[in-house]
């Protein structure tokens, strides 16, 4: 329809363009299903979120009162939101870096061909199959000061006092980070283990011929070879940490005094508890921008060191 | 190396399989443990319909454990008492969750025919315009409200109109472990803030390494307690006489009453005699039953749960909520009430009203009160022989009833009316924690919490105009 019009007007010259349009129309039926799904479930909500962030809403999410950018201004002036951003950054650092290091160490250990290694692999991979709710419920038992097995063990082994994990500012965040790292460690380890298996043995062989020690081989052969996987894990777990919700909801509800009020939890609170969809939308937009910028930074900075061979 | 490697992998895959299966089993087991005590008969989605002339009603509630079973009992009684209406209870989680689910579904169908809402949801429910005021039914059928407890009616009446029918009504009380009191040589439970501090010190026990094995008191950082504590000092939560003579526009709980309460709370925590388990009250209840705290503050509505839980271990004492010496205010009635949503046929509304009348009858209220520890909403229930026998068996509970009857109705004890009370409570909870954890001084915390709540009230008022 539109295409014939255009071709009629443009005449015989751009044979190229005609082909392009034809190819475009030909490809549409293949792209359309995905495009519609994306439009309905991604693009429309994104636009709606930006729209809602400019309004006060009633409890059913109907935009009621236009306030422009006032909610963004309010957020950046609110010490609670600033704290929630800081808590989120702290949390990301506490989970991503230890998570990657731990996963790397475990993957290196699990790569060895030792009798019974399968048992250890199973133990480490098993949290993958557990839901956030189940993991957090276990955490709830572990951190309860009245009946805590974790505290009992810490006390017996290290003589630590009884820790009221979830009701102190710093320890509550540590508790949630512990649960999160434990939950994600299986996935990261599997990915890194797979990468380790793909490192060509010839590289190690020639390294040995050159008389390198283990740490040198690790530094100059292993890590560069698995750097695409390390980079993947870093990006994925960073985004995952930014989106943490379930653990916080079950273990602390953002408390005590906002010490674990990560941004996504605070969005949930505002939207589905306080029914301030407008404010929650503004928070979501800000979170989206932060994650976008950080991910781009990771691609710019970290990816330079990644070698895809 | 290659050959060997392969063998290991195939073996390990089998082990991984077994591991996965056993983990899944464990997960299911945990889920089972969690659900056990709370679940009640559910019929899934809401909505109503007539089947063979029987009106089917759905009732959403937030009563878990022993209270959930007691509610099921009332509903069974009602269903058995006639053959035209069948009520099905659906447990929707705790008050907040249940209320939020209502907020999300209202006016979109699939909601309940009878909705239990906690006290602080009152203003929101009225503003939503999604309900039929209970007063309409009362007037139509000339229902006699003079038999109802005036102190309970006081909370739920707004501008002289009853919008919902009170059902489960309670007040905060001080629970204590009688054995611990005996061991510490305390004969009468503490009544004032100073006495609580002194007794809590006596009741705190440390082992040789200095580790506390028993705390004198445990107060959950639950916002309801703060609301109650300032009401005992006659202070309002919000302006315009607690929102009772006009829509509230400002939070005013940051006055001297709030400061006294926070200072006391902090003095308990700083003295190392208060176990702070956060805002989830059930954690403190469990600590009490496990013998980790000797006293705690909670609703009278969990009395039955506590007595059952402590059976064979120790006797549970009940005393009125402590207050500063000389304070002359009173506590606010708490709990929940039944609402009739507008979004249903008149026949269904009338059927719902039938059930509500049944649930408010003296006989059912007596049974309810015996099984839970909530107060009967009707004075006639005290004449029921079974309830009289119950009070003889548990003379402790008379203290809670005296507290209810002793309250003088003022704007402070009627309780605040705002549409964003759930939010305000959350803000207050964070405020308490930030004082206990030394992040802010009591007055700073009070002021910033009050200004936050004022902002929320303003925003809310803009959206309901």
């Amino acid at each position: 329809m539109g295409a014939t019009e255009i071709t009629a007007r443009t005449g015989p010259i751009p044979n190229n363009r005609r082909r392009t349009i034809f190819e475009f129309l030909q490809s549409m039926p293949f792209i359309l299903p995905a495009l519609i799904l994306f439009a309905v479930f991604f693009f429309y909500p994104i636009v709606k979120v930006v729209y809602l962030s400019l309004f006060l809403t009633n409890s059913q999410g109907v935009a009621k009162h236009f306030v422009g950018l006032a909610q963004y201004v309010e957020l950046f002036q609110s010490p609670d939101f600033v704290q929630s951003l800081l808590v989120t950054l702290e949390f990301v650092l506490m989970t991503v870096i230890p998570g990657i290091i731990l996963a790397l160490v475990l993957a290196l250990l699990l790569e060895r061909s030792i009798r019974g290694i399968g048992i250890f692999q199973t133990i480490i991979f098993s949290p993958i199959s557990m839901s956030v709710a189940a993991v957090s419920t276990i955490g709830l038992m572990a951190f309860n000061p009245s009946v805590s097995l974790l505290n009992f063990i810490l006390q017996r082994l290290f003589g630590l006092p009884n820790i009221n994990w979830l009701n102190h500012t710093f320890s509550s965040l540590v508790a949630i980070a512990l649960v999160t790292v434990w939950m994600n460690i299986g996935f990261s380890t599997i990915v890194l283990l797979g990468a380790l298996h793909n490192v060509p043995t010839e590289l190690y062989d020639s390294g040995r011929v050159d008389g390198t020690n283990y740490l040198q081989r690790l530094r100059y052969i292993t890590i560069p070879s698995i750097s695409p996987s390390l980079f993947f894990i870093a990006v994925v777990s960073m985004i995952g940490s930014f989106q943490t919700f379930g653990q916080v909801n079950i273990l602390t509800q953002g408390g005590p005094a906002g010490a674990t009020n990560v941004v996504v939890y605070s969005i949930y609170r505002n939207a589905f508890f306080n029914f301030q969809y407008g404010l929650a939308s503004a928070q979501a937009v800000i979170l989206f921008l932060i994650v976008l910028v950080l991910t781009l930074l990771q691609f710019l900075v970290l990816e330079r060191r990644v070698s895809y061979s | 190396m290659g050959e060997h490697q392969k063998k290991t992998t195939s073996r390990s895959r089998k082990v991984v399989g077994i591991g996965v299966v056993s983990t899944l089993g464990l997960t299911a087991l945990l889920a089972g443990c969690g659900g056990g005590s709370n679940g009640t008969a559910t019929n899934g989605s809401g909505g109503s319909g007539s089947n063979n002339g029987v009106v089917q009603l759905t009732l959403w509630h937030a009563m878990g454990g022993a209270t959930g079973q007691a509610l099921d009992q009332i509903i069974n009684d009602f269903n058995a008492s006639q053959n035209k209406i069948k009520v099905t209870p659906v447990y929707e989680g705790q008050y907040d969750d249940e209320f939020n689910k209502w907020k999300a579904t209202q006016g979109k169908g699939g909601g309940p025919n009878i909705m239990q809402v906690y006290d602080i949801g009152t203003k929101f429910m009225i503003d939503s315009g999604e309900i039929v005021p209970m007063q309409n039914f009362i007037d139509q059928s000339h229902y006699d409200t003079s038999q109802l407890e005036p102190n309970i009616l006081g909370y739920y009446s707004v501008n002289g109109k009853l919008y919902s029918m009170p059902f489960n009504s309670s007040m905060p009380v001080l629970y204590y472990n009688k054995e611990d009191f005996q061991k510490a040589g305390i004969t009468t439970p503490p009544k004032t803030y100073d006495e609580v501090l002194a007794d809590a010190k006596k009741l705190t026990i440390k082992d040789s390494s200095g580790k506390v094995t028993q705390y004198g008191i445990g107060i959950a950082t639950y916002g309801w307690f703060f609301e109650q504590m300032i009401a005992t000092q006659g202070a309002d939560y919000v302006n315009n006489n607690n929102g009772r003579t006009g829509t509230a526009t400002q939070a005013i709980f940051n006055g001297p009453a709030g400061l006294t309460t926070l200072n006391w709370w902090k003095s308990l925590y700083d003295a190392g005699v208060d176990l702070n388990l956060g805002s989830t009250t059930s954690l403190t209840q469990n600590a009490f039953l496990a013998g980790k705290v000797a006293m705690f503050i909670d609703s009278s509505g969990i009395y039955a749960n506590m007595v059952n839980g402590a059976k064979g271990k120790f006797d549970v004492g009940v005393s009125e909520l402590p207050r500063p010496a000389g304070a002359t205010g009173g506590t606010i009635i708490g709990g929940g009430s039944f609402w009739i949503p507008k979004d249903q046929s008149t026949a269904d509304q009338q059927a719902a009203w039938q059930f509500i009348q049944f649930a408010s009858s003296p006989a059912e209220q007596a049974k309810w009160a015996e099984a839970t520890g909530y107060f009967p909403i009707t004075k006639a229930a005290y004449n029921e022989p079974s309830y009289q026998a119950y009070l003889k068996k548990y003379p402790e509970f008379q203290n809670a009833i005296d507290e209810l009857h002793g309250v003088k109705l003022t704007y402070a004890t009627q309780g605040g009316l705002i549409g964003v009370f759930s939010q305000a409570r959350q803000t207050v909870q964070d405020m308490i924690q930030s004082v206990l954890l030394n992040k802010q001084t009591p007055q700073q915390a009070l002021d910033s919490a009050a200004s936050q709540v004022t902002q929320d009230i303003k925003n809310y008022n803009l959206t309901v105009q």
Side-chain angles (χ1 to χ4, degrees):
Chain A
M1 1 135 267
T4 43
E5 244 176 67
I6 293 167
T7 39
R9 223 187 307 126
T10 44
I13 323 153
N15 224 338
N16 253 347
R17 194 189 288 178
R18 189 185 290 173
R19 194 188 293 156
T20 323
I21 291 166
F22 180 69
E23 277 176 358
F24 176 73
L25 287 179
Q26 210 176 21
S27 61
M28 273 325 266
F30 298 97
I31 299 173
L32 219 54
L35 201 65
I36 290 173
L37 282 178
F38 266 100
V40 172
F41 292 106
F42 288 98
F43 305 144
Y44 170 70
I46 288 175
V47 173
K48 181 91 186 197
V49 161
V50 175
Y51 168 79
L52 280 178
S53 72
L54 306 174
F55 287 87
L56 290 179
T57 60
N58 71 0
S59 67
Q60 290 169 59
V62 180
K64 278 276 180 180
H65 187 84
F66 181 78
V67 291
L69 293 176
Q71 299 192 101
Y72 290 92
V73 176
E74 186 190 320
L75 279 176
F76 281 109
Q77 283 172 351
S78 141
D80 290 344
F81 183 67
V82 174
Q83 185 194 16
S84 139
L85 282 179
L86 290 176
V87 165
T88 310
L89 288 179
E90 244 178 278
F91 180 75
V92 169
L93 291 178
M94 279 161 81
T95 48
V96 174
I97 296 171
I100 292 178
I101 295 174
L102 206 59
L104 182 61
V105 170
L106 287 173
L108 288 170
L109 290 174
L110 289 179
E111 198 210 358
R112 313 268 161 136
S113 335
I114 311 168
R115 200 165 248 288
I117 193 81
I119 295 171
F120 292 104
Q121 288 181 343
T122 311
I123 290 173
I124 288 159
F125 297 160
S126 61
I128 292 184
S129 63
M130 300 224 281
S131 67
V132 178
V135 171
S136 308
T137 310
I138 294 172
L140 214 48
M141 290 190 266
F143 297 127
N144 183 327
S146 307
V147 290
S148 167
L149 186 65
L150 180 70
N151 275 351
F152 181 76
I153 294 170
L154 288 178
Q155 220 171 307
R156 284 297 157 96
L157 288 185
F158 307 106
L160 289 181
N162 201 20
I163 305 172
N164 191 349
W165 283 97
L166 300 177
N167 287 293
H168 287 294
T169 318
F170 186 64
S171 64
S172 57
L173 197 61
V174 173
I176 289 178
L178 278 176
V179 168
T180 309
V181 168
W182 177 49
M183 195 172 69
N184 295 336
I185 200 77
F187 173 74
S188 312
T189 311
I190 281 189
V191 171
L192 291 183
L193 192 59
L196 287 177
H197 280 313
N198 285 334
V199 179
T201 34
E202 305 90 72
L203 290 179
Y204 290 116
D205 291 342
S206 57
R208 279 197 196 90
V209 170
D210 289 345
T212 54
N213 63 26
Y214 178 79
L215 282 179
Q216 282 170 324
R217 283 197 298 276
L218 184 67
R219 166 79 182 76
Y220 295 105
I221 300 175
T222 311
I223 290 185
S225 306
I226 63 168
S227 57
S229 298
L230 279 174
F231 179 63
F232 169 74
I233 299 255
V235 173
V236 167
S237 55
M238 186 202 77
I239 294 177
S241 284
F242 266 107
Q243 295 178 340
T244 296
F245 168 74
Q247 303 91 302
V248 177
N249 190 31
I250 292 175
L251 286 171
T252 60
Q253 292 90 45
T260 56
N261 195 12
V262 293
V263 175
V264 171
Y265 185 73
S266 142
I267 292 175
Y268 158 79
R269 267 274 162 191
N270 277 329
F272 304 110
F273 195 90
N274 302 341
F275 290 87
Q276 295 185 328
Y277 291 101
L279 195 66
S281 300
Q283 284 180 300
V285 170
I286 295 171
L287 178 68
F288 168 72
L289 293 176
I290 292 175
V291 175
L292 185 71
V293 167
L294 284 179
T295 310
L296 285 177
L297 269 181
Q298 275 188 319
F299 269 92
L300 285 175
V301 178
L302 275 183
E303 209 194 12
R304 287 198 186 158
R305 297 166 165 268
V306 173
S307 55
Y308 301 98
S309 52
Chain B
M1 185 176 165
E3 278 270 338
H4 183 65
Q5 188 87 33
K6 232 179 220 163
K7 233 192 235 161
T8 331
T9 344
S10 81
R11 195 192 307 144
S12 69
R13 196 172 297 148
K14 215 182 284 165
V15 183
V16 170
I18 295 168
V20 168
V21 170
S22 62
T23 320
L24 283 176
L26 183 69
T27 319
L29 197 72
L30 283 167
C33 293
S37 62
N38 288 338
T40 41
T42 60
N43 196 14
S45 64
S48 72
S50 298
N51 249 340
N52 313 327
V54 178
V55 180
Q56 302 277 348
L57 298 181
T58 311
L59 180 149
W60 282 10
H61 69 92
M63 304 278 91
T67 46
Q69 288 161 13
L71 177 59
D72 288 349
Q73 189 55 51
I74 293 181
I75 290 168
N76 290 340
D77 288 354
F78 177 72
N79 290 341
S81 73
Q82 41 75 45
N83 53 17
K84 293 200 175 59
I85 306 165
K86 186 169 181 294
V87 177
T88 310
V90 182
Y91 176 70
E92 292 285 357
Q94 295 178 343
Y95 283 133
D96 279 335
D97 301 326
E98 186 226 11
F99 188 42
N100 286 343
K101 186 156 182 200
W102 154 267
K103 283 179 178 176
T105 57
Q106 54 172 317
K108 292 178 190 153
N113 303 93
I114 306 165
M115 174 76 192
Q116 183 198 26
V117 178
Y118 55 0
D119 45 8
I120 59 171
T122 302
K123 172 80 169 149
F124 180 92
M125 293 299 278
I126 296 172
D127 288 342
S128 77
E130 295 288 341
I131 51 97
V132 185
M134 202 57 65
Q135 194 70 43
N136 295 7
F137 300 100
I138 292 173
D139 293 346
Q140 275 166 25
S141 53
H142 306 289
Y143 184 79
D144 180 15
T145 51
S146 67
Q147 56 194 318
L148 303 182
E149 283 277 359
N151 280 347
I152 297 177
L153 284 182
Y155 188 99
Y156 295 100
S157 298
V158 178
N159 300 327
K161 234 171 146 180
L162 201 57
Y163 281 85
S164 63
M165 182 62 89
F167 172 63
N168 53 316
S169 292
S170 64
M171 281 188 169
V173 290
L174 179 78
Y175 289 94
Y176 60 95
N177 181 324
K178 286 192 165 176
E179 259 76 320
D180 290 343
F181 267 48
Q182 231 163 23
K183 276 183 223 152
I186 304 169
T187 48
T188 51
K191 295 255 184 283
T192 67
Y193 282 0
D194 294 340
E195 288 168 15
V196 170
L197 179 60
D199 286 350
K201 281 178 181 164
K202 285 185 214 158
L203 289 161
T204 301
I205 300 172
K206 291 181 182 172
D207 67 9
S208 51
S209 66
K211 196 190 128 203
V212 177
T213 54
Q214 175 186 303
Y215 285 87
I217 192 166
I219 311 180
T221 54
Y222 185 37
W224 188 53
F225 301 151
F226 178 80
E227 296 153 27
Q228 298 286 351
M229 288 168 185
I230 66 168
T232 60
Q233 302 169 59
D236 290 352
Y237 198 77
V238 287
N239 69 349
N240 289 338
N241 293 319
N242 245 351
R244 295 279 172 177
T245 56
T247 300
T249 57
Q250 194 190 351
I252 55 167
F253 54 73
N254 51 338
L259 186 62
T260 309
T261 296
L262 282 191
N263 278 335
W264 167 69
W265 204 322
K266 186 163 172 51
S267 71
L268 289 170
Y269 186 73
D270 287 349
V273 297
D274 168 40
L275 178 60
N276 171 15
L277 292 180
S279 59
T280 312
T281 50
S282 59
L283 294 178
T284 308
Q285 293 163 17
N286 292 339
F288 177 70
L289 293 178
K292 295 273 176 182
V293 297
M295 302 184 274
F296 78 109
I297 289 171
D298 212 322
S299 158
S300 62
I302 59 152
Y303 181 67
N305 279 342
M306 290 302 103
V307 169
N308 292 339
K311 202 170 269 171
K313 289 190 275 187
F314 57 87
D315 284 336
V316 178
V318 173
S319 169
E320 67 184 63
L321 183 73
R323 55 175 71 190
T328 55
T331 43
I332 309 164
I333 194 74
S337 60
F338 285 136
W339 296 76
I340 299 183
K342 195 171 69 174
D343 187 23
Q344 54 182 319
S345 70
T346 14
D348 287 356
Q349 290 174 9
Q350 287 301 333
W353 169 236
Q354 290 297 320
F355 169 75
I356 288 172
Q357 281 173 286
F358 180 85
S360 315
S361 67
E364 293 302 320
Q365 278 294 316
K367 268 192 220 169
W368 169 247
E370 288 157 33
T372 59
Y374 282 108
F375 301 124
I377 62 157
T378 162
K379 288 177 278 186
Y382 293 99
N383 301 328
E384 295 286 319
S386 67
Y387 198 53
Q388 287 172 343
Y390 169 84
L391 288 179
K392 251 189 208 120
K393 191 174 167 200
Y394 299 106
E396 276 305 319
F397 198 70
Q398 189 62 44
N399 294 331
I401 292 172
D402 290 345
E403 183 178 315
L404 168 72
H405 290 153
V407 171
K408 274 194 230 95
L409 265 188
T410 62
Y411 293 125
T413 58
Q414 258 187 301
L417 270 186
I418 46 173
V420 287
F421 220 131
S422 339
Q423 259 165 283
R425 192 172 271 182
Q426 182 69 34
T427 305
V428 163
Q429 284 168 191
D430 283 347
M431 168 192 88
I432 299 167
Q433 285 280 23
S434 77
V435 168
L436 296 185
L437 301 176
N438 269 332
K439 291 178 85 180
Q440 282 174 304
T441 68
Q443 191 61 56
Q444 277 172 350
L446 281 165
D447 291 343
S448 68
S451 78
Q452 174 70 50
V453 172
T454 299
Q455 186 60 43
D456 291 341
I457 295 175
K458 282 194 174 134
N459 286 348
Y460 171 85
N461 288 347
L462 281 174
T463 62
V464 292
Q465 270 165 6

